[in-house]
């Protein structure tokens, strides 16, 4: 199954705003996407609670998987999103 | 893992019979409780409202997790949680009204693990329902500090 392993780039980790953006992107993908951290079972990437339950911090490696037509494109996009510091892009007041 | 949530939760920060007209009022109440237990300076409340404008902190299961922006971290005095229950529900724009707010004050990234623990609790529908229905502090405490399996 196609997969990408990527290091979480958001400085506060994969929760709150970065998690919300990722979950929304995964939810709008044409394929079901799963995400996991090493040693834990994959969970649906379109569920906020599931993604939060990973407890992934900045620098944590996560793996996303998807299967079907276009899986590679979907995974590339989501991997790029995970690698970015999504906290840095917030309304100008943070940083 | 068991020490995480419970260690951050002052009994005085568990409020089980709150009311709020709307989301902003609910967040202000959450912030006031964090201020009252000495976890944050009053300015943190504005950071919580700012965060909520940027992205909803609704996580599902009738639970929201209000917390400040990165810029608000300077007004955090110590890492802490507050649990506020709104029995009548507060419209949060999600799939159902919010009945429980778990407000978070955090300086570093330790709260990511805390959130992970909380999410695992809420992924269990029975425990999530019990949290929404909790009417005494001990129940909240027990739900948030699950006893490790000894088997």
């Amino acid at each position: 199954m196609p997969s990408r392993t990527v290091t979480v780039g958001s400085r506060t980790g994969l929760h709150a705003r970065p998690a919300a953006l990722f979950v929304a992107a995964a939810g709008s993908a044409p394929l079901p996407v799963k995400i996991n951290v090493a040693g834990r079972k994959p969970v649906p990437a379109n569920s906020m609670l599931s993604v939060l339950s990973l407890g992934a911090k900045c620098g944590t490696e996560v793996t996303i998987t998807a299967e079907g037509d276009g899986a590679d494109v979907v995974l590339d996009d989501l991997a790029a999103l995970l690698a970015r510091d999504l906290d840095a892009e917030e309304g100008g007041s943070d940083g | 893992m068991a020490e995480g949530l419970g260690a951050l939760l002052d009994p005085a920060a568990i409020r089980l019979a709150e009311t709020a007209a709307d989301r902003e009022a609910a967040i202000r109440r959450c912030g006031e409780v964090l201020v009252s237990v000495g976890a944050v300076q009053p300015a943190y409340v504005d950071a919580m409202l700012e965060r909520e404008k940027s992205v909803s902190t609704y996580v599902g299961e009738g639970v929201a997790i209000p917390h400040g922006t990165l810029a608000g971290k300077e007004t955090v005095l110590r890492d802490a949680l507050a649990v506020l229950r709104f029995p009548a529900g507060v419209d949060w724009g999600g799939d159902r009204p919010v009945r429980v707010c778990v407000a978070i004050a955090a300086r570093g990234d330790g709260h990511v693990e805390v959130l992970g623990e909380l999410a695992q609790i809420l992924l269990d529908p029975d425990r999530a329902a019990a949290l929404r229905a909790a009417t005494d502090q001990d129940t909240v405490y027990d739900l948030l500090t699950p006893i490790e399996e000894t088997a």
Side-chain angles (χ1 to χ4, degrees):
Chain A
M1 189 183 301
S3 70
R4 301 286 185 277
T5 296
V6 58
T7 301
V8 173
S10 291
R11 73 188 77 164
T12 62
L14 194 53
H15 85 112
R17 184 171 186 274
L21 294 173
F22 172 72
V23 166
S28 64
L31 302 164
V33 180
K34 295 203 163 189
I35 181 168
N36 71 293
V37 292
R40 295 258 295 275
K41 82 177 177 33
V43 296
N46 64 352
S47 157
M48 187 67 177
L49 281 177
S50 294
V51 170
L52 287 178
S53 76
L54 300 173
K57 297 183 178 183
C58 184
T60 298
E61 279 198 342
V62 298
T63 300
I64 48 176
T65 53
E67 194 162 73
D69 286 346
D72 284 309
V73 174
V74 165
L75 292 176
D76 283 341
D77 286 351
L78 290 174
L81 190 64
L82 287 169
R84 267 160 51 195
D85 181 4
L86 298 170
D87 288 307
E89 298 164 20
E90 181 168 39
S93 61
D94 273 12
Chain B
M1 156 160 177
E3 73 262 14
L5 292 168
L8 295 172
L9 186 58
D10 187 321
I14 304 177
R15 309 290 178 93
L16 298 174
E18 293 288 322
T19 56
D22 55 27
R23 170 154 60 163
E24 179 173 335
I27 291 167
R28 286 194 185 281
R29 278 299 299 146
C30 289
E32 285 165 13
V33 171
L34 288 173
V35 170
S36 75
V37 297
V40 301
Q41 294 170 349
Y44 190 72
V45 183
D46 293 326
M48 293 172 80
L49 292 167
E50 190 72 22
R51 156 68 65 213
E52 197 72 37
K53 272 185 225 157
S54 165
V55 63
S56 171
T57 61
Y58 181 70
V59 294
E61 287 294 336
V63 176
I65 51 166
H67 56 277
T69 56
L70 278 182
K73 278 188 193 302
E74 289 158 26
T75 59
V76 175
L77 304 172
R78 64 177 170 86
D79 289 1
L81 297 177
V83 175
L84 282 78
R85 181 169 168 265
F86 298 87
V90 180
D91 179 11
W92 219 272
D95 59 1
R96 62 166 78 169
V98 164
R99 302 209 187 271
V100 176
C101 286
V102 180
I104 299 165
R107 282 169 299 188
D109 63 1
H111 62 303
V112 178
E113 283 169 13
V114 168
L115 279 174
E117 287 180 41
L118 178 64
Q120 287 179 36
I121 290 165
L122 296 176
L123 282 168
D124 177 340
D126 292 340
R127 284 199 284 174
L131 185 62
R132 286 193 299 273
T135 54
D136 66 89
Q137 291 187 346
D138 286 347
T139 302
V140 173
Y141 234 93
D142 290 349
L143 283 167
L144 295 184
T145 52
I147 294 158
E148 298 281 336
E149 298 288 336
T150 51

